[in-house]
Amino acid sequence: MTPNTATAQTLTEQTGARTDEAAELIGGARERIDALDDRIIGLIQERMAVSAVIQEARISSGGRRVNLAREMEVLGHYRDALGKPGTALAMTMLELCRGRV
């Protein structure tokens, strides 16, 4: 028995599929999801940077760090596009983007 044999799992075991065909489909789809997640994380990081620029400009001009009316627009946009879970997603994103100045 090689060292990897004890811990290695077949693709079927990794995916919970009952056939090799389904396991291959799931494995490929998971790779695509991982790539999409990487892109989403990158976009959120970019949004955080843009938000920091906006906050810095607002604060340096004597304004407040957060514009609640704008945040309500963002929440509504996400809710309209994704339903109620979109609101929770937007809240998390806004939380990530606040106070980075």
Side-chain angles (χ1 to χ4, degrees):
M1 180 182 280
T2 63
N4 290 337
T5 306
T7 58
Q9 290 183 317
T10 67
L11 190 56
T12 305
E13 291 170 332
Q14 290 172 358
T15 63
R18 295 191 182 243
T19 66
D20 290 341
E21 183 179 277
E24 287 181 30
L25 182 110
I26 292 168
R30 284 183 177 173
E31 287 177 14
R32 176 112 195 270
I33 285 174
D34 290 345
L36 288 167
D37 285 343
D38 288 342
R39 287 173 50 199
I40 291 167
I41 290 167
L43 289 170
I44 291 171
Q45 289 170 331
E46 183 178 347
R47 190 188 193 287
M48 290 168 66
V50 172
S51 183
V53 169
I54 292 168
Q55 289 175 45
E56 186 175 319
R58 190 181 299 120
I59 291 168
S60 68
S61 71
R64 297 179 59 173
R65 178 176 54 88
V66 176
N67 180 331
L68 295 179
R70 173 62 180 151
E71 288 196 357
M72 293 306 293
E73 288 176 22
V74 171
L75 291 170
H77 181 68
Y78 275 71
R79 183 187 60 248
D80 292 346
L82 302 172
K84 186 177 178 183
T87 303
L89 177 63
M91 285 296 296
T92 299
M93 184 199 52
L94 289 169
E95 183 179 340
L96 286 167
C97 293
R98 285 187 199 123
R100 300 289 181 184
V101 179

